[in-house]
Amino acid sequence: MFFRTFIALVIVIFLCPLALYSQGYFFIETYDTKTIRGFRQNWDIIQDSSGYIFFGNQVNGLIQYNGVGWTPRHLPNGNTVRSLENHNGNIFWGGVGDFGYIDSDSLNNFYPRSLRNELDSLSGNFTDIWQTGVSSRNLFLRSYEAVFKLEKDSIKVINPEMGIQGLFELGNEIAVQIDSLGLFKIVDNKLHALANSGDYVSDRLYVILPFENEYLFLSRQQGFMLYDGYKFRSFETEAADYVKQHKVYRAVYLNEQEIAIATLSGGIVIINTRGELKTIITEEDGLPTNIIYDLYVDREQILWAATDNGLSKMLVNNPVTKLNSQQGYEGIPGFLETLGEKTYIGSTEGIFYISGKENLQVVNNSIARVYDGAKNGDEIWAATSEGVIRITERGTQNISDEVFSSIAAGHNSSRVFYGVQEGSIFRLELNGESLQRKQLVGQEYYFDDLYVKDDEVWAISSAEGVFRIGITDTGQKKYLVPLQEGDQYEKVGIIEEKIHIGTGSGLYTYDTQLDSLVIDSTFNDPELTSMQVNRFKQCQSGEVWFRNNRKIKRAVLKDGSWEVTEDPYRLIDEGESITTITCGEGNSMWFGGSAGIYHLSNPDWEYNHTFNTNITGLLVHNDSLIYGGYGEPETDFELLFKDNELRFTYAAASYIAPEENRYRVRLKGYDNNWSSWTAETEKDYTFIPEGTYTFEVQGRNVYHKLGTIDSFTFTVLPPWYRTVWAYIAYVLLAGSIIYALYRFRINNILREQRVRNRIASDLHDEVSATLSSISYFAEAIKKSPGNGQGRRFVNLISESANDAKEKITDIIWSIDPENDDWIDLLSKCRRFASDLLESKNIAYELNIDESINRPLDLQLRQHLWLIFKEMITNAARHSEADRVDIRLTYELGELTMVVQDNGKGFNKDADSEGNGIENIRNRAKKIKAEIILESDIKIGTRWILKKKL
């Protein structure tokens, strides 16, 4: 009896770690300290409502993982996080002498906020918060010294007489284990002994899980026990001895039927609710260590492990498992075939097998290179570099030293196969212990694949075409299809009793009526008729598996129509080459690739989970973070126009294969449509116009399932010159300009009116006296017609009329707008002076600068002309001079006019100034010009006028 028990224990301890989940190993990914940006030792794991996962680290406090990056955050009063709990939408943490919850700071970064200050000084002295639990809508945290109960507005402290060893959720109650006293329930903040729990006074309890209508207790002495609320009974499980030996520490439900148990030296143990051992996951399977501190199952049913050497992620609830070098498998498979309870794998590194009770094994320590293999009845023949190897349930046998590159099963006998050797096809039959062969065809072609149907062998040559060869008459035909350049013939087989050919340009079938290969469009998948089909396999009627366009696809016949599915199988063929597809036991499938062997235990499996897409950050000018992505922003975001260069970062909280997640984005109010799907986890926008926008992002995971849409609304303020105040200023400025233009117009009108008034005054002053003289002279003639004065009066009338005409001409010229430039004015001055002085035989010199480039308005033109005319007239008529010098120049912004004669002059002190001189002075004053008169009876008269232009 003792010997049997010992043998059983040895089997459990040494063979159970090699037990397999559906003949394969989970996808396991380990994150080291460099990746997680934290210390190697991790204590607890939790996921929040957004999908972020938080880890309690020994040195770096809290570490957040969002699917793209890892962010550590130290605690306010320490660095170690021992426990985590999700309660009322918040993540609570327990550390060394401290506890609190995760909050968001002013930039929406996550921040561990402490609640220690809410405790009084006596209650504030405690050590590590090792465990947490939720019951009756309250949160409980356990240190060795006390239990802290977080109620709505207060923290209750429960202090037992002895130290507290553990805290557990027991239905709607909390149970604690008191050192040397046993198990108690907390009811109304008081401790009540748990019925019949005396065995746990000295036996340390580590796990309590709900189990149907009872509770499952795990301790290190009694092991697995069930408790119904009153009494205990043993729970029988194949894992009991292993778990006891390797020290249970934590446990969690993987799904409704399976439980994962963390141990401190034996890795992770998985059992079902019937107590059957499903598997044990250790370092040999990919864990970084066998010391496991916590296990957590996230929303996608992924198992996470907090270990003593980093973190691990395991797809334990996924039907796809894998064999690779971690489990001892090497090479690229040439065949995969199931025989009895074993699945055989022939690869470039030898022949292996695997079964539900054994680890991956090498057949007879074979190191032969396997080229191909086929199953016929209860035998498998393998074509290897050392000859043909026959595999049966009794073992293996080398039946020939001849080397064949391809091999196919015959259809009439289990001992008949067909093989390719140096361009020839042979019929192979085992007669007793000897292998007999018969050549069917011999030629220079290299055949890549064979299939035997009825009395014919179908063979393909990748470059040459498809050959149909008779077994009895050895006649042959060759078929070709129009392939794309660079494509080739890749696979021959049977689907729905018809020969099919997989090519680089799609799937073809043999049409017996046409005696040719035609494209097969019956599967309603455009990729199957145009893209590479290098492998296919039909295991049962109405179901076909393809490797098409680098993807695994399953076609199922439903209601007379084929439905092709690919999304659930995207973990198979991770960018590698799949060389074999094989039917397994039941409805399972095997796929052999360059990176390992995949086993699909449940082809009908579908991904039925939801996940969040999260905006993880918003940066201005690619360096200034203004939104950290944790929690909702408290206020609407308004950005200055100069800050309209933005970068959004985002991540999908689907952790199955985060590197395969894809994203699409749009900026509502800026983009019309969603972007295409990309692997980019950030999006830049530059020169966004002012306005209100909503950025939206949606993730898609490896199974092409869509995540939620996350959004962020913000407003880009207009630049200062397009603000409301600027527009008010523009209105005021425009009003001012309009008013100024209005005033300018009014002033012009008034000025024109003043010009009119002045012209009227000039007409009155200059002409009316002359006209009055004419009238007077005419009356004198009438009264004394015979008087000898008549001729003199007529001459006076003539002179007066000419004078009036000249004055009127001057006034008309001065108001004509066509004369509004210096050239006309100076030319007129030149002509007038020369005509008048020459008519008086007075010598003169003119020095007039006609290149003046300054504005000349009507008033300045009129006064300058009349002043000049008056000066020249006075010199010509009254000075009795024989020479006049005239100079009119423009220099340094100043106009200078000089008129000098050598006449008789006059004494300014003795003689009173006449009307002409007074007119000159008045006109100079009106145009704000400086006027100087110099005259002497000996030297003559000189006028000087200076005017700033």
Side-chain angles (χ1 to χ4, degrees):
M1 183 70 179
F2 172 80
F3 180 77
R4 291 180 182 177
T5 303
F6 175 78
I7 292 297
L9 180 60
V10 169
I11 291 174
V12 168
I13 294 175
F14 292 98
L15 293 186
C16 282
L18 307 177
L20 302 173
Y21 237 4
S22 65
Q23 294 188 304
Y25 293 85
F26 304 120
F27 285 81
I28 299 178
E29 185 173 2
T30 296
Y31 303 97
D32 58 18
T33 56
K34 183 178 179 180
T35 301
I36 68 175
R37 301 172 62 194
F39 189 66
R40 62 178 180 82
Q41 197 171 38
N42 297 276
W43 292 104
D44 208 350
I45 308 169
I46 201 75
Q47 186 175 28
D48 71 2
S49 59
S50 294
Y52 298 131
I53 298 185
F54 290 88
F55 304 90
N57 190 265
Q58 173 70 24
V59 174
N60 295 85
L62 285 164
I63 298 177
Q64 181 205 64
Y65 179 50
N66 60 24
V68 173
W70 303 77
T71 303
R73 195 83 72 204
H74 289 287
L75 303 181
N77 302 307
N79 296 323
T80 301
V81 172
R82 302 285 193 196
S83 57
L84 294 165
E85 187 67 66
N86 200 329
H87 177 56
N88 289 340
N90 292 318
I91 300 295
F92 286 83
W93 53 268
V96 178
D98 197 4
F99 60 86
Y101 63 97
I102 300 177
D103 199 2
S104 58
D105 62 15
S106 59
L107 293 178
N108 285 96
N109 293 307
F110 80 92
Y111 172 75
R113 193 173 300 279
S114 174
L115 294 174
R116 182 174 179 175
N117 293 334
E118 298 187 21
L119 297 171
D120 58 40
S121 59
L122 295 178
S123 302
N125 297 320
F126 57 90
T127 55
D128 300 26
I129 301 293
W130 281 103
Q131 289 172 289
T132 58
V134 176
S135 179
S136 301
R137 295 176 295 181
N138 293 316
L139 176 68
F140 294 81
L141 304 99
R142 190 273 299 182
S143 70
Y144 183 77
E145 295 80 11
V147 172
F148 302 95
K149 178 183 178 183
L150 272 64
E151 297 181 340
K152 186 176 182 181
D153 299 317
S154 62
I155 301 177
K156 301 292 185 183
V157 182
I158 302 171
N159 291 106
E161 297 178 358
M162 305 295 289
I164 305 171
Q165 299 283 5
L167 180 145
F168 312 94
E169 294 179 2
L170 190 65
N172 292 325
E173 297 177 307
I174 291 293
V176 293
Q177 187 177 33
I178 308 299
D179 192 9
S180 302
L181 297 178
L183 291 174
F184 295 82
K185 293 189 297 183
I186 298 177
V187 180
D188 297 330
N189 301 326
K190 296 181 180 180
L191 299 175
H192 298 266
L194 195 67
N196 298 316
S197 62
D199 290 337
Y200 292 98
V201 171
S202 58
D203 185 10
R204 179 75 180 270
L205 183 64
Y206 285 89
V207 174
I208 297 180
L209 290 176
F211 192 89
E212 297 177 354
N213 295 322
E214 298 177 285
Y215 298 95
L216 179 65
F217 284 49
L218 277 75
S219 64
R220 293 183 180 173
Q221 294 181 22
Q222 298 183 85
F224 294 77
M225 301 293 291
L226 290 176
Y227 181 64
D228 62 3
Y230 181 72
K231 60 182 179 180
F232 289 86
R233 63 184 178 91
S234 177
F235 175 72
E236 300 297 328
T237 172
E238 298 171 349
D241 293 327
Y242 185 87
V243 171
K244 281 185 179 181
Q245 179 187 2
H246 292 288
K247 301 177 183 178
V248 60
Y249 195 74
R250 295 287 185 265
V252 67
Y253 271 97
L254 293 179
N255 48 57
E256 293 181 355
Q257 291 82 34
E258 294 171 321
I259 299 170
I261 303 164
T263 71
L264 292 185
S265 60
I268 302 169
V269 180
I270 298 178
I271 65 172
N272 63 20
T273 52
R274 295 187 299 274
E276 299 170 339
L277 178 63
K278 302 298 295 183
T279 190
I280 298 176
I281 309 171
T282 66
E283 293 179 10
E284 295 181 358
D285 308 313
L287 288 180
T289 175
N290 288 334
I291 303 174
I292 312 299
Y293 293 123
D294 190 47
L295 297 172
Y296 183 79
V297 178
D298 69 13
R299 295 182 194 171
E300 296 180 289
Q301 298 297 294
I302 299 172
L303 178 64
W304 295 83
T307 82
D308 194 54
N309 189 24
L311 298 164
S312 286
K313 178 187 73 178
M314 292 155 280
L315 305 186
V316 294
N317 289 301
N318 197 292
V320 179
T321 52
K322 185 178 181 180
L323 293 170
N324 54 26
S325 58
Q326 184 76 38
Q327 293 80 38
Y329 170 76
E330 300 289 347
I332 299 174
F335 77 86
L336 269 167
E337 295 290 352
T338 298
L339 193 63
E341 295 182 352
K342 296 179 179 179
T343 297
Y344 288 87
I345 308 165
S347 84
T348 53
E349 301 297 326
I351 301 176
F352 306 82
Y353 76 84
I354 188 172
S355 74
K357 296 182 179 179
E358 296 179 86
N359 191 17
L360 185 72
Q361 300 289 326
V362 179
V363 174
N364 292 337
N365 294 320
S366 171
I367 58 172
R369 181 183 180 93
V370 178
Y371 300 116
D372 197 7
K375 177 182 177 182
N376 197 350
D378 57 357
E379 296 185 5
I380 299 173
W381 286 18
T384 77
S385 59
E386 297 178 1
V388 178
I389 296 177
R390 178 184 176 222
I391 304 171
T392 66
E393 291 191 32
R394 294 184 299 274
T396 62
Q397 176 188 4
N398 193 325
I399 59 177
S400 175
D401 293 335
E402 294 190 73
V403 177
F404 294 88
S405 59
S406 297
I407 196 165
H411 69 286
N412 291 326
S413 171
S414 63
R415 292 195 169 190
V416 175
F417 289 79
Y418 293 82
V420 174
Q421 185 183 71
E422 295 181 353
S424 298
I425 299 177
F426 294 88
R427 182 182 185 273
L428 308 176
E429 183 174 4
L430 187 62
N431 189 358
E433 297 298 322
S434 65
L435 182 67
Q436 298 178 350
R437 68 177 195 168
K438 174 185 177 182
Q439 184 173 352
L440 297 183
V441 62
Q443 56 190 44
E444 69 277 11
Y445 297 133
Y446 180 85
F447 295 104
D448 300 279
D449 195 23
L450 300 176
Y451 189 84
V452 179
K453 184 179 186 298
D454 300 329
D455 293 326
E456 296 175 329
V457 175
W458 288 81
I460 62 172
S461 174
S462 60
E464 298 297 331
V466 179
F467 295 84
R468 178 186 176 194
I469 304 163
I471 293 176
T472 56
D473 58 11
T474 66
Q476 62 175 293
K477 293 190 69 174
K478 180 179 178 181
Y479 302 92
L480 296 174
V481 295
L483 299 180
Q484 299 292 329
E485 183 178 354
D487 287 344
Q488 60 186 14
Y489 302 89
E490 305 206 26
K491 176 67 179 174
V492 59
I494 190 169
I495 298 175
E496 297 292 298
E497 300 303 321
K498 293 182 179 181
I499 288 292
H500 280 72
I501 308 296
T503 76
S505 298
L507 181 69
Y508 287 80
T509 184
Y510 173 67
D511 189 310
T512 57
Q513 294 182 350
L514 298 176
D515 189 27
S516 65
L517 299 177
V518 297
I519 198 76
D520 190 349
S521 58
T522 60
F523 294 99
N524 303 314
D525 185 344
E527 289 186 340
L528 282 171
T529 60
S530 60
M531 308 297 288
Q532 182 194 50
V533 179
N534 70 327
R535 291 294 179 269
F536 57 86
K537 185 73 173 180
Q538 183 167 19
C539 296
Q540 57 187 351
S541 179
E543 181 186 59
V544 186
W545 292 86
F546 297 95
R547 203 252 182 176
N548 170 225
N549 193 24
R550 304 181 67 84
K551 295 176 287 188
I552 297 299
K553 296 182 177 182
R554 180 194 187 198
V556 177
L557 187 62
K558 293 182 180 180
D559 300 326
S561 178
W562 289 93
E563 294 183 4
V564 179
T565 306
E566 61 186 64
D567 289 341
Y569 318 116
R570 291 186 178 272
L571 284 184
I572 306 171
D573 187 11
E574 298 175 293
E576 60 192 82
S577 175
I578 294 296
T579 59
T580 58
I581 301 177
T582 303
C583 312
E585 294 182 355
N587 198 29
S588 67
M589 295 295 299
W590 289 90
F591 305 88
S594 57
I597 306 298
Y598 298 88
H599 184 230
L600 175 64
S601 61
N602 178 19
D604 296 322
W605 174 85
E606 292 184 2
Y607 176 91
N608 292 317
H609 308 292
T610 60
F611 62 91
N612 289 59
T613 310
N614 297 306
I615 297 171
T616 58
L618 172 58
L619 295 91
V620 174
H621 301 299
N622 296 338
D623 57 7
S624 299
L625 181 71
I626 62 173
Y627 174 67
Y630 189 79
E632 295 296 327
E634 296 182 358
T635 59
D636 294 335
F637 271 79
E638 292 186 343
L639 305 175
L640 297 177
F641 188 76
K642 66 182 181 65
D643 295 330
N644 64 352
E645 183 179 341
L646 305 178
R647 168 172 290 177
F648 290 91
T649 60
Y650 37 84
S654 178
Y655 305 112
I656 295 171
E659 68 279 357
E660 296 298 326
N661 292 341
R662 296 294 181 265
Y663 304 89
R664 62 178 183 177
V665 300
R666 66 180 176 186
L667 186 59
K668 296 177 70 174
Y670 188 84
D671 299 323
N672 293 325
N673 301 305
W674 286 101
S675 68
S676 57
W677 292 101
T678 71
E680 296 295 326
T681 57
E682 58 186 37
K683 176 66 175 178
D684 292 333
Y685 291 95
T686 57
F687 305 114
I688 305 174
E690 67 264 29
T692 299
Y693 303 92
T694 298
F695 176 77
E696 293 183 332
V697 58
Q698 185 174 36
R700 185 185 72 185
N701 71 1
V702 64
Y703 297 119
H704 282 205
K705 294 294 184 179
L706 300 182
T708 61
I709 297 175
D710 198 11
S711 63
F712 185 91
T713 300
F714 63 96
T715 298
V716 176
L717 298 175
W720 65 266
Y721 51 84
R722 285 205 290 266
T723 60
V724 173
W725 293 110
Y727 284 118
I728 293 175
Y730 297 152
V731 171
L732 295 176
L733 179 60
S736 299
I737 292 173
I738 293 172
Y739 179 74
L741 292 174
Y742 167 76
R743 293 302 306 168
F744 178 75
R745 175 61 178 164
I746 293 299
N747 290 336
N748 279 343
I749 293 173
L750 293 176
R751 188 175 65 175
E752 291 177 0
Q753 184 62 41
R754 286 194 295 271
V755 170
R756 292 190 184 99
N757 293 337
R758 191 183 68 250
I759 292 173
S761 176
D762 289 344
L763 286 172
H764 180 271
D765 294 341
E766 300 290 338
V767 180
S768 63
T770 304
L771 294 178
S772 297
S773 298
I774 292 173
S775 176
Y776 171 77
F777 295 140
E779 287 296 328
I781 292 174
K782 288 180 182 179
K783 291 181 179 179
S784 304
N787 194 332
Q789 296 293 327
R791 180 176 293 274
R792 185 174 67 86
F793 289 145
V794 170
N795 290 334
L796 290 174
I797 290 173
S798 177
E799 291 177 5
S800 297
N802 288 334
D803 184 49
K805 177 183 176 183
E806 184 178 348
K807 290 179 179 179
I808 293 173
T809 300
D810 287 342
I811 292 173
I812 292 174
W813 177 86
S814 66
I815 64 174
D816 188 349
E818 292 185 359
N819 301 316
D820 283 345
D821 58 66
W822 286 97
I823 294 177
D824 288 337
L825 172 62
L826 299 178
S827 296
K828 185 175 179 63
C829 291
R830 183 185 294 276
R831 288 193 304 271
F832 176 78
S834 60
D835 290 346
L836 180 59
L837 295 175
E838 288 176 359
S839 67
K840 299 293 185 179
N841 294 319
I842 299 175
Y844 64 92
E845 181 178 349
L846 290 173
N847 184 8
I848 297 178
D849 185 0
E850 296 185 3
S851 62
I852 302 173
N853 186 21
R854 297 294 295 170
L856 178 62
D857 61 20
L858 182 150
Q859 184 177 3
L860 177 61
R861 176 161 55 91
Q862 182 187 18
H863 288 299
L864 282 176
W865 162 245
L866 294 178
I867 291 173
F868 180 81
K869 183 180 178 182
E870 189 70 33
M871 290 179 178
I872 300 300
T873 300
N874 288 341
R877 293 181 179 177
H878 306 298
S879 67
E880 298 180 5
D882 57 10
R883 181 177 179 82
V884 176
D885 292 322
I886 303 167
R887 182 165 57 89
L888 202 158
T889 61
Y890 176 74
E891 198 172 302
L892 299 177
E894 185 175 68
L895 177 69
T896 303
M897 181 191 298
V898 179
V899 178
Q900 181 174 344
D901 62 61
N902 61 354
K904 62 181 181 179
F906 61 93
N907 188 344
K908 295 190 296 179
D909 296 330
D911 299 337
S912 60
E913 296 181 351
N915 290 334
I917 295 175
E918 185 64 26
N919 287 339
I920 291 174
R921 293 187 185 280
N922 289 336
R923 292 186 185 280
K925 184 177 181 181
K926 289 180 179 179
I927 61 173
K928 298 180 180 179
E930 179 184 359
I931 191 72
I932 300 172
L933 173 60
E934 298 175 354
S935 183
D936 190 272
I937 57 175
K938 296 180 179 180
I939 61 175
T941 302
R942 179 167 63 185
W943 286 99
I944 301 174
L945 179 140
K946 295 182 178 182
K947 166 65 179 171
K948 290 287 187 181
L949 297 182

